[in-house]
Amino acid sequence: MIETSAAAPPAEAVADFAEDVRRDLALSPKQIQSKYLYNALGSCLFEAICRLPWYRITRAEGRLLSRWAEPMVASLPDPLTFVELGCGSGEKVAMLAEALRSRRRSVSVHLIDISPIALELSERTLGRLEHVSVVGHRTTYEEGLRHAATLRPSGVTMLVLFLGSNIGNFDPPAAHDFLSQIRRALRPGDALLLGADLVKSERELLLAYDDPLGVTAAFNKNLLVRINRELLADFDLASFDHRAVWNAAESRVEMHLVSRHAQQVNIPRAGCTVSFERGEHIWTENSYKYTIEEVVQRGERAGFRSREQWVDGDARFALTLFVAN
Ligand SMILES: C[S@@+](CC[C@H](N)C(=O)[O-])C[C@H]1O[C@@H](n2cnc3c(N)ncnc32)[C@H](O)[C@@H]1O
């Protein structure tokens, strides 16, 4: 069983959260960074989303990995280290690690995630593989990548995994900066396996981000629960609606929390009171969708060479293996 009422977050993390909430709710439009969706409850809700019939990313990527994991890792020389950015449940990195087992190759795995529950789940998933040694980093992608790169001994090949279309949460300039940052952390011959969701029909996209069971709505509204709990705010959950929008011009699905009426919310630990007009929204997440060519171009512009791409034609999802030049 997974404990969802995790221990209180460290004071420093709460202070950063308070500072970000105060600053970003003063913007126009109001925003909250999507990384804050993943507290203990948020991670459990995300795992539930992955099991919904309408959210097809996880199953599509799982299908590609179960079919192609062996050739993906076959060309990478030993000794090997995997670094997964935003590992979630750890099931995908476990599939790649499994592919090494039949060849009696051992691997060390660095798991990087801001969510303690995600790290706990991943460590449990990988714990059953005796040829795998695991290091968990409870921190941001950037900080974790820096740390994992400094721990890597010379002569070890690094494969960075950025799966589940996590790249889609970055706007195009930020995606370029982050892919370039990954490239700088790598040495020639190291690799990046990038999972990216592809453009598909608006109907399919909206069902994935606004499902009929309301799990994605709960995932989004949990941000308000989190602000109430950690920053002692008085958001009334019934006064906000979840909304998903396909912005075709920007090729992204946006998630918002929309105020049902004019209201004021006090957030004592962030030292602010925030006013909402009726219909005003807080922008909580972007999920950019790509074409297969765009994925390759993005990696190549950041200093990688695309070695191979595997596409799930059914769910329209691509896994691309890049090698650092
Ligand atoms: C959409 S989930 C995907 C999980 C997994 N990669 C998958 O494919 O199922 C995103 C994961 O990244 C983590 N995450 C989100 N933003 C992060 C950030 N800025 N730094 C570190 N981890 C982050 C979340 O806690 C969550 O576990």
Side-chain angles (χ1 to χ4, degrees):
M1 200 188 118
I2 301 157
E3 181 55 69
T4 55
S5 57
E12 199 184 307
V14 175
D16 289 346
F17 184 35
E19 174 58 26
D20 287 348
V21 165
R22 194 189 53 72
R23 186 195 58 228
D24 294 346
L25 288 183
L27 297 173
S28 181
K30 295 177 169 61
Q31 300 173 28
I32 298 177
Q33 294 172 51
S34 62
K35 67 179 180 182
Y36 290 117
L37 290 162
Y38 297 93
N39 64 347
L41 179 55
S43 285
C44 292
L45 288 167
F46 177 73
E47 288 309 310
I49 289 171
C50 293
R51 283 159 181 73
L52 294 174
W54 309 280
Y55 190 84
R56 303 173 70 197
I57 289 181
T58 311
R59 283 183 299 279
E61 201 170 34
R63 278 195 296 275
L64 291 174
L65 286 170
S66 63
R67 173 74 182 83
W68 300 108
E70 294 235 357
M72 282 175 196
V73 292
S75 57
L76 301 171
D78 283 329
L80 258 181
T81 190
F82 292 167
V83 175
E84 180 161 25
L85 304 170
C87 51
S89 67
E91 280 162 27
K92 295 171 186 171
V93 64
M95 292 169 98
L96 287 158
E98 285 273 10
L100 296 170
R101 180 152 60 175
S102 57
R103 294 169 185 244
R104 298 173 189 280
R105 297 169 68 186
S106 60
V107 63
S108 65
V109 176
H110 291 265
L111 300 168
I112 295 161
D113 206 294
I114 36 166
S115 159
I117 288 281
L119 286 176
E120 203 181 301
L121 274 174
S122 300
E123 283 168 8
R124 212 181 299 162
T125 308
L126 289 167
R128 52 186 163 78
L129 302 174
E130 64 291 339
H131 65 299
V132 176
S133 59
V134 180
V135 185
H137 306 261
R138 183 183 166 185
T139 184
T140 59
Y141 301 138
E142 294 82 356
E143 192 55 42
L145 178 63
R146 245 191 316 273
H147 196 212
T150 58
L151 293 176
R152 181 251 290 257
S154 63
V156 171
T157 308
M158 193 186 265
L159 170 65
V160 172
L161 309 171
F162 201 30
L163 304 176
S165 210
N166 292 5
I167 186 71
N169 297 143
F170 292 78
D171 66 23
H176 174 73
D177 288 351
F178 188 55
L179 291 174
S180 304
Q181 195 174 329
I182 296 176
R183 172 61 192 88
R184 286 195 298 276
L186 299 183
R187 301 178 187 145
D190 286 339
L192 163 69
L193 184 65
L194 183 68
D197 200 20
L198 303 176
V199 176
K200 48 189 73 72
S201 76
E202 178 169 1
R203 184 177 168 276
E204 268 181 281
L205 287 167
L206 292 184
L207 276 171
Y209 291 85
D210 192 3
D211 64 89
L213 274 179
V215 184
T216 318
F219 174 66
N220 198 9
K221 281 180 138 187
N222 176 51
L223 264 176
L224 305 183
V225 179
R226 179 174 185 178
I227 298 175
N228 282 353
R229 284 175 70 180
E230 293 182 23
L231 306 182
L232 310 179
D234 56 5
F235 274 104
D236 170 26
L237 266 65
S239 295
F240 287 86
D241 289 322
H242 165 70
R243 183 176 69 192
V245 185
W246 169 238
N247 181 334
E250 300 291 341
S251 198
R252 68 185 181 216
V253 179
E254 301 171 2
M255 287 205 318
H256 303 273
L257 289 164
V258 186
S259 178
R260 287 187 162 197
H261 49 81
Q263 56 183 316
Q264 284 204 329
V265 177
N266 299 304
I267 314 179
R269 277 205 180 142
C272 60
T273 297
V274 184
S275 301
F276 290 86
E277 301 195 0
R278 181 166 179 263
E280 191 176 355
H281 66 267
I282 309 175
W283 195 342
T284 54
E285 192 187 62
N286 285 325
S287 297
Y288 282 83
K289 306 297 168 184
Y290 304 97
T291 62
I292 46 178
E293 296 80 12
E294 240 179 304
V295 179
V296 170
Q297 280 164 12
R298 284 197 181 281
E300 293 191 341
R301 255 187 256 136
F304 291 96
R305 176 167 37 87
S306 142
R307 177 177 282 173
E308 194 144 5
Q309 190 171 56
W310 298 267
V311 177
D312 185 284
D314 186 27
R316 307 283 308 134
F317 187 90
L319 266 174
T320 311
L321 183 64
F322 291 100
V323 178
N325 290 321

